[in-house]
Amino acid sequence: MKPANLILLLFLLFQTTFISAIEKPFGIFVINHDRSEYQAMSQNWAVAFDELGRAYFGNSGGVLEYNGKDWVLHQHRSKSAIRSLLFDEQSQRLYSGCYEDFGYWKRDSLGVLNYYSLAEKLNDYKFSSERIWSIVKSGKEILFQSFPTLFIYNTETEEVKSVVPGGELMFLGKINGTVYSRVSGRGICKIEAGEIKVIADSDFAKNATIRFYLPNERGIIVGDGKSGLHILKDGKTKKWNCEANEVLSSKDVNSAVSIGDTAYAVGTLLGGLYIINHDGKILSHIDRQSKLENNTVLGMALDHSGDLWLGMDNGLSYVDLNSTIEYKIDMDNAPSAIYSVIKHNGYIYIGTNNGVLCSKFDKDYADLDFRELSLLEGITGHIWKLEILRGELLCGSNNGIFKLDQGNAYPLSTAIGGTDFEIIEKNGQEWLIESTYFKIRMFKRENNQWVFSHFVDGFEGACRFIEVDHAGYVWISHEIKGLNRLKLSDDFRKVVSNKYFGLESGLPTEYQLNVFTVNNRVVVTTGEEIYTYDDLTDRMLPFNKLNNTLGRFKKAVNIVNADQDHFWAIADNEAVYMKNTADSMSFVSAFTLDKQFSFPDKYQNISINKDASVLCLENGFAILPNESNDVYKHQPLVITQVVKGKKGVDNKGILLPLHNNKVLELKNRDNSLEFTINSVNYGPNDVTYQYRIVNLYDDWIEGETETENVNTINDIPHGEYVYQARAVFSDGSRSNVVEYPFVILPPWFASKTGVVVIILSLVVCVGLLIVFNKRILEKQTYIIEKKHTDQHKKNESTIEQLQNDVLQKELENLQGKLTVSANALVEKDRSINTIKRELEVMFQKLEGRFPHRDYDKILKVINGQLTQKKDMLDFEQHFAASQSGFYDGLRQNYPNLTPADLRLCSLLKMNMNSKEISILLGITVRSVEVSRYRLRKKMELEPDENLTKVIMRY
């Protein structure tokens, strides 16, 4: 569905004029586009189409482009209104005229539409507030018309010249290769080779406001804004005496185009659009009252499919002249919800949410007047089904099931809630099986009448749809949840088996399931895709053959069989008519419901009649032909834009050429591409776009949405690729496949140059690495050798230190022993001296009683124990061993020291006091002090210097 802020779909109900059998009736509907949708100014003056079917509108804000999906406004440099347009397919230029300028628009290699002024080529011409109102092509010349001047552009020489017409020049028109215009005061003229020649000079021709020219068997029809349509023939003009002119003469005709060979579209400033035939009969009329946007038609043109576009004083209107679909909408009188529409035996019956409306009716559906309908008595509430079965019209309703005939309702049962029904046969007996709110009812055909027989035992529950398959199984779908397959007893009185089908049976959901049959095959709609029952596995499987054929219609929620070989599949807002045979399935036609209208909630239905299928809507219905001869002319698919390097919303990327003489090569960093494709489609039916990248992923892919026409491919690895795209139309046909080959170059390091650079770099690096490693090796060798030397020295030092430590330990040990020995000698002498004194005291006390001889003997023994010279020599030897260099140092500094002085120094080194020294040396303390004094003198010590501390230094 094309986006439209205000889309108005209308069927022309008010026409009473019939056309001849050789003329095609116009099934017309209109889609209006207002400025809020296309984002430009309200007024649209002219309409043109290019070779691809894209529409261009001369808007008051510039050239407005529309491709059926997107709107783009191209502003003139002066930002003035574009009053006229002409597309030349030969040069593929869009010529335009505006205020004091005219020229052409042309797309560059990137697909961008650029403007080139031709007025700048004029020599010595000065504009005087002129506007270009019309443009035509005549041979190799393009003619631009303003009121005071005719401008002629030669497409071969590219020269531009101006021609003064000798009066006010009116709008240009071209009939059978000849260009016509009206020059005030001169008459109607033809323009040939730059010359303006008068061909009619009547008063009407001189003064009329002629705005268009049309071919006709009677001559040339000229449209005058003041008096309507006139016939120009053989230099004479006369007012056309026809039915249409009686109306148009007062409507200010403004523009017109031929529709085929039999009709015209005439736009007016006061009365909207009129469709008339070549005899001047009005075939159709669309105006503001019949939902046209407004009554002022400023410009018009036919698109490539033969449909009409109107440039309006306020907006744009698309008029589908070729639609085979007719609408019957009555917001005031039609029921708010219509569920079924059936014509039967000269009556029409309409099922609603509040009973059945009916009346006598033998006309076309479009001629129905809802005000003539009345409610059938006896039927109230919701109507679930109206269907003709074997010549009888049956109605399933909230009140039960009824037979309808000649405007009357005949109840088959008074039990409430008949939702669906089917006819089955067994042993030559016809049965009518009906699903209800609670149970299954059975009716038996007796004496050509349906007679209630019984309820089926063994199953209870609300049923929505009921189907009977080729094996006799009864399939029932619940209105909300559930799908059951029942096997009935031979007499149809009870259920002998009941299997529930849900998630464990292969279905994707258990909710909103609807069951139908297509060619006697059970199918189930799920809202996403269609499933079918597989006898071999006793499971539900996706019906791939049907889903692939239906495309987006696989989301259908209702399937209605039209006949043995055709069925309708109905989705949320669209329906497709399918042909189904044993060998194949194919599209016949498709239809998208305009968003202005809608189905009744959760009830999409089509009523099948002999002459047409009726799509049931809110406040009306749409009439769809069972067999459509409408062949829509699909426009080719083209690539309209290619962008590289676009990543993120704010990054616009860089445009690439749309066509290349050679394959486009892109740097590796430009490995993200965005392709915009389009097949122009103005009608309500959507177009699905698919694409693939050959050599990257070969399966066809749809965009984020099925109608998305912008494909973004990011992070493409280096390699050679071909982008391919195609369009799939609603009728099942496919467009041409467009291609865009391109190459993503490898990263620089993977290219040939990169490989050479890398190899050279590796060689240099290896060389540098060798040199570097050599230096490192030398350095490491030096460091190792130095480390080894240092370690050796350190080891030697360590060994020496260890040896010194050992010696020091031994020395300390010797010193300790020496100290102990010295102290022991002192203590020994002190003890012996003490004994000796005690002996002397005792000897004196005994006074001769102690023999003197014994005393001397004892005294001799005692004196023999005192420290002898030999002990002292041993002490000095031990001292010298423990204090290596002590004596040498003293002798070196004090060479006048005697051995006695050195002995005293050794005892002082042992930190012995004078008393201890006196004992050890066997002299008095006084003698020790004198010796110390003399020693100080020899060593020349100062009075404040401590003798012991000085000696301790050695």
Side-chain angles (χ1 to χ4, degrees):
M1 182 74 65
K2 297 294 161 295
N5 187 45
L6 176 62
I7 301 182
L8 299 173
L9 203 59
L10 59 112
F11 178 67
L12 301 180
L13 307 176
F14 309 105
Q15 305 306 318
T16 57
T17 304
F18 296 92
I19 59 177
S20 63
I22 63 172
E23 294 171 333
K24 175 184 175 181
F26 291 94
I28 298 176
F29 73 87
V30 176
I31 300 175
N32 290 324
H33 306 273
D34 64 20
R35 62 179 299 179
S36 65
E37 178 188 347
Y38 57 71
Q39 295 295 303
M41 304 295 284
S42 296
Q43 289 181 315
N44 294 279
W45 300 90
V47 185
F49 299 91
D50 67 11
E51 78 283 3
L52 298 176
R54 288 175 293 206
Y56 301 91
F57 305 98
N59 183 268
S60 290
V63 174
L64 181 61
E65 177 187 351
Y66 182 49
N67 62 10
K69 190 173 183 65
D70 302 308
W71 300 88
V72 180
L73 179 65
H74 307 277
Q75 288 189 315
H76 185 267
R77 60 193 177 192
S78 66
K79 297 185 179 180
S80 59
I82 304 298
R83 306 281 179 169
S84 54
L85 291 173
L86 170 72
F87 184 79
D88 178 29
E89 291 196 10
Q90 182 178 356
S91 63
Q92 294 190 355
R93 293 177 175 180
L94 177 67
Y95 291 93
S96 68
C98 61
Y99 177 78
E100 293 189 347
D101 191 22
F102 56 90
Y104 64 88
W105 304 76
K106 189 173 178 61
R107 295 186 187 276
D108 59 21
S109 61
L110 305 178
V112 178
L113 195 64
N114 299 302
Y115 178 72
Y116 304 90
S117 175
L118 294 174
E120 295 176 350
K121 296 178 177 290
L122 287 170
N123 296 320
D124 302 326
Y125 185 86
K126 186 176 181 180
F127 285 96
S128 57
S129 299
E130 299 170 44
R131 295 170 175 82
I132 306 301
W133 290 98
S134 61
I135 309 171
V136 298
K137 181 179 181 180
S138 178
K140 62 182 179 180
E141 295 178 335
I142 307 295
L143 309 181
F144 300 86
Q145 170 260 329
S146 72
F147 290 144
T149 310
L150 176 67
F151 301 98
I152 302 176
Y153 168 60
N154 190 303
T155 57
E156 292 183 353
T157 65
E158 296 192 351
E159 294 179 349
V160 180
K161 66 178 181 180
S162 60
V163 177
V164 178
E168 185 181 66
L169 186 69
M170 294 302 292
F171 301 91
L172 303 176
K174 183 179 177 181
I175 304 294
N176 298 325
T178 301
V179 178
Y180 297 91
S181 182
R182 195 278 296 173
V183 179
S184 62
R186 295 182 61 187
I188 298 174
C189 305
K190 66 178 180 179
I191 302 173
E192 295 178 338
E195 295 186 7
I196 301 176
K197 300 177 181 180
V198 177
I199 60 171
D201 57 359
S202 64
D203 290 341
F204 167 78
K206 292 179 180 180
N207 299 299
T209 306
I210 298 177
R211 293 170 175 159
F212 58 82
Y213 302 81
L214 296 169
N216 190 272
E217 298 83 357
R218 298 167 180 80
I220 297 175
I221 299 175
V222 296
D224 172 36
K226 298 177 181 178
S227 57
L229 307 179
H230 294 253
I231 301 294
L232 168 64
K233 186 176 183 180
D234 298 331
K236 296 181 180 180
T237 60
K238 65 177 181 179
K239 192 169 184 176
W240 191 14
N241 185 18
C242 65
E243 176 189 270
N245 217 14
E246 294 177 4
V247 178
L248 294 176
S249 59
S250 61
K251 298 300 182 181
D252 201 352
V253 295
N254 186 57
S255 58
V257 294
S258 294
I259 303 176
D261 297 328
T262 60
Y264 308 112
V266 180
T268 71
L269 298 180
L270 301 176
L273 175 69
Y274 290 82
I275 308 295
I276 66 174
N277 67 8
H278 278 212
D279 293 327
K281 293 182 179 180
I282 298 176
L283 306 179
S284 299
H285 174 216
I286 309 173
D287 61 4
R288 186 180 179 87
Q289 287 185 343
S290 53
K291 306 302 182 179
L292 196 65
E293 189 68 23
N294 56 81
N295 286 336
T296 303
V297 181
L298 299 179
M300 65 173 62
L302 293 172
D303 64 19
H304 288 27
S305 296
D307 294 319
L308 186 65
W309 280 87
L310 306 180
M312 310 294 291
D313 187 55
N314 184 12
L316 294 162
S317 295
Y318 166 74
V319 183
D320 188 346
L321 300 176
N322 301 293
S323 175
T324 57
I325 303 168
E326 298 177 283
Y327 286 87
K328 182 63 183 178
I329 304 296
D330 190 337
M331 304 298 290
D332 297 325
N333 300 300
S336 60
I338 291 179
Y339 301 137
S340 300
V341 179
I342 297 291
K343 286 199 298 184
H344 181 62
N345 292 341
Y347 281 77
I348 190 168
Y349 301 88
I350 296 179
T352 74
N353 57 353
N354 191 31
V356 177
L357 295 171
C358 85
S359 71
K360 285 187 176 182
F361 191 76
D362 58 0
K363 303 176 184 178
D364 292 335
Y365 293 96
D367 296 327
L368 175 66
D369 187 345
F370 287 101
R371 292 173 296 182
E372 296 178 355
L373 299 173
S374 59
L375 279 171
L376 276 178
E377 294 183 2
I379 304 178
T380 59
H382 193 95
I383 302 302
W384 291 103
K385 185 174 183 178
L386 280 175
E387 185 174 359
I388 299 174
L389 293 179
R390 302 188 182 182
E392 291 181 326
L393 177 59
L394 300 180
C395 171
S397 73
N398 186 63
N399 297 118
I401 186 169
F402 295 80
K403 174 184 175 182
L404 308 183
D405 190 31
Q406 299 296 315
N408 296 307
Y410 304 96
L412 304 184
S413 172
T414 57
I416 65 172
T419 58
D420 197 7
F421 45 80
E422 292 288 338
I423 292 178
I424 55 178
E425 289 188 22
K426 189 167 186 179
N427 299 326
Q429 175 66 54
E430 288 187 347
W431 294 84
L432 181 68
I433 183 170
E434 180 194 18
S435 60
T436 71
Y437 295 162
F438 307 105
K439 291 186 176 183
I440 299 174
R441 278 196 295 240
M442 299 297 298
F443 297 84
K444 189 175 183 179
R445 173 78 77 175
E446 294 180 353
N447 299 322
N448 208 30
Q449 298 290 329
W450 291 113
V451 178
F452 173 72
S453 174
H454 58 272
F455 285 101
V456 176
D457 294 330
F459 180 83
E460 293 186 0
C463 309
R464 176 62 188 92
F465 290 104
I466 187 169
E467 292 287 347
V468 181
D469 65 16
H470 65 283
Y473 285 102
V474 178
W475 294 81
I476 292 178
S477 60
H478 189 273
E479 183 179 6
I480 298 176
K481 178 183 177 181
L483 174 67
N484 294 78
R485 186 191 66 184
L486 310 179
K487 180 67 175 177
L488 304 185
S489 60
D490 291 339
D491 58 3
F492 299 135
R493 289 193 171 273
K494 65 180 179 178
V495 174
V496 297
S497 69
N498 180 359
K499 180 173 181 178
Y500 179 81
F501 285 80
L503 297 175
E504 295 181 356
S505 303
L507 289 171
T509 180
E510 296 181 344
Y511 295 93
Q512 306 299 329
L513 302 174
N514 296 324
V515 63
F516 310 96
T517 57
V518 175
N519 270 356
N520 293 322
R521 184 168 187 170
V522 173
V523 296
V524 178
T525 63
T526 66
E528 291 298 326
E529 61 180 343
I530 296 174
Y531 281 69
T532 186
Y533 175 68
D534 181 61
D535 302 76
L536 297 178
T537 61
D538 194 28
R539 290 175 59 83
M540 288 291 174
L541 301 176
F543 197 168
N544 292 326
K545 180 181 178 181
L546 180 57
N547 289 328
N548 293 336
T549 305
L550 288 175
R552 69 173 185 274
F553 292 97
K554 66 184 179 182
K555 296 183 179 181
V557 296
N558 194 6
I559 293 177
V560 179
N561 287 295
D563 54 41
Q564 185 175 355
D565 297 325
H566 296 85
F567 66 88
W568 284 95
I570 312 169
D572 287 338
N573 68 331
E574 53 191 356
V576 59
Y577 190 53
M578 299 289 296
K579 184 175 182 180
N580 179 34
T581 63
D583 298 328
S584 64
M585 294 181 181
S586 60
F587 276 81
V588 176
S589 61
F591 166 72
T592 300
L593 184 66
D594 188 88
K595 70 178 184 181
Q596 177 188 350
F597 304 117
S598 59
F599 292 103
D601 288 345
K602 298 182 180 181
Y603 199 89
Q604 296 91 340
N605 188 40
I606 289 181
S607 295
I608 306 300
N609 292 266
K610 291 181 180 180
D611 49 352
S613 297
V614 181
L615 183 64
C616 302
L617 308 173
E618 293 180 351
N619 301 109
F621 50 81
I623 305 131
L624 311 174
N626 289 336
E627 296 291 340
S628 174
N629 296 319
D630 180 24
V631 179
Y632 184 80
K633 182 181 179 181
H634 299 300
Q635 299 304 313
L637 180 69
V638 294
I639 299 174
T640 60
Q641 189 179 80
V642 182
V643 180
K644 73 173 181 178
K646 184 175 182 180
K647 293 183 178 180
V649 178
D650 299 329
N651 187 350
K652 295 183 179 180
I654 299 174
L655 291 175
L656 296 177
L658 297 179
H659 306 284
N660 295 288
N661 295 326
K662 60 180 182 179
V663 177
L664 181 68
E665 293 185 348
L666 298 172
K667 294 180 180 180
N668 191 261
R669 65 172 178 266
D670 297 326
N671 65 343
S672 293
L673 295 175
E674 180 183 271
F675 296 89
T676 302
I677 54 178
N678 189 66
S679 174
V680 175
N681 174 53
Y682 299 124
N685 293 333
D686 288 332
V687 177
T688 299
Y689 295 99
Q690 300 174 338
Y691 74 97
R692 64 183 179 184
I693 307 294
V694 178
N695 296 332
L696 184 60
Y697 32 81
D698 296 333
D699 294 333
W700 290 102
I701 302 170
E702 294 180 352
E704 293 183 3
T705 60
E706 293 176 339
T707 58
E708 178 61 51
N709 67 331
V710 178
N711 308 137
T712 302
I713 305 100
N714 292 321
D715 302 323
I716 307 172
H718 66 85
E720 297 181 1
Y721 304 99
V722 179
Y723 167 83
Q724 294 182 336
R726 69 184 183 187
V728 180
F729 303 105
S730 60
D731 60 5
S733 62
R734 292 185 173 91
S735 72
N736 57 302
V737 175
V738 294
E739 294 186 345
Y740 193 94
F742 63 94
V743 174
I744 301 295
L745 296 174
W748 70 269
F749 53 81
S751 64
K752 293 181 180 179
T753 303
V755 171
V756 172
V757 171
I758 290 173
I759 292 174
L760 292 176
S761 299
L762 287 175
V763 171
V764 172
C765 289
V766 169
L768 293 174
L769 186 61
I770 292 172
V771 174
F772 179 74
N773 286 339
K774 184 177 180 182
R775 292 184 178 180
I776 292 294
L777 182 59
E778 291 174 351
K779 185 176 180 180
Q780 291 293 333
T781 302
Y782 170 77
I783 292 173
I784 292 171
E785 290 178 350
K786 186 176 182 302
K787 184 177 181 181
H788 179 72
T789 302
D790 292 343
Q791 185 66 36
H792 181 68
K793 291 180 180 179
K794 183 177 180 181
N795 290 341
E796 290 180 346
S797 176
T798 302
I799 291 171
E800 184 179 355
Q801 181 66 35
L802 290 173
Q803 290 175 346
N804 291 336
D805 289 344
V806 171
L807 293 174
Q808 181 67 27
K809 292 292 184 181
E810 291 178 353
L811 181 60
E812 290 176 355
N813 187 35
L814 289 174
Q815 287 177 345
K817 290 181 178 181
L818 185 60
T819 302
V820 172
S821 178
N823 290 333
L825 289 174
V826 172
E827 287 297 326
K828 184 190 75 170
D829 288 349
R830 182 182 292 116
S831 298
I832 291 174
N833 285 328
T834 301
I835 293 172
K836 183 179 178 181
R837 285 193 301 272
E838 289 295 330
L839 181 61
E840 289 175 348
V841 172
M842 187 180 293
F843 180 73
Q844 291 174 0
K845 285 182 178 181
L846 290 177
E847 296 180 351
R849 285 180 294 175
F850 193 136
H852 195 277
R853 187 180 57 180
D854 294 333
Y855 169 75
D856 291 337
K857 186 177 181 180
I858 294 172
L859 186 63
K860 182 179 179 181
V861 172
I862 292 172
N863 288 333
Q865 294 300 315
L866 290 173
T867 300
Q868 301 296 318
K869 183 177 181 180
K870 182 179 178 299
D871 295 331
M872 195 64 200
L873 289 175
D874 291 337
F875 169 78
E876 289 178 357
Q877 289 176 355
H878 288 298
F879 180 81
S882 64
Q883 299 293 332
S884 176
F886 176 73
Y887 291 129
D888 293 337
L890 287 175
R891 289 191 187 101
Q892 184 178 356
N893 292 323
Y894 310 103
N896 56 346
L897 295 178
T898 64
D901 294 330
L902 293 174
R903 186 181 297 113
L904 178 60
C905 288
S906 64
L907 295 175
L908 291 173
K909 176 72 173 175
M910 296 295 294
N911 203 22
M912 299 179 72
N913 56 35
S914 297
K915 185 177 180 181
E916 291 173 338
I917 294 173
S918 66
I919 295 172
L920 187 61
L921 294 180
I923 61 176
T924 64
V925 175
R926 177 65 180 166
S927 297
V928 174
E929 292 296 333
V930 171
S931 298
R932 289 170 68 102
Y933 175 75
R934 289 174 181 170
L935 182 59
R936 288 179 63 86
K937 287 290 187 179
K938 290 180 181 181
M939 296 178 67
E940 298 178 351
L941 298 180
E942 295 294 331
D944 56 349
E945 286 185 287
N946 187 287
L947 177 61
T948 302
K949 289 184 179 180
V950 173
I951 292 173
M952 287 292 185
R953 297 172 186 168
Y954 293 92

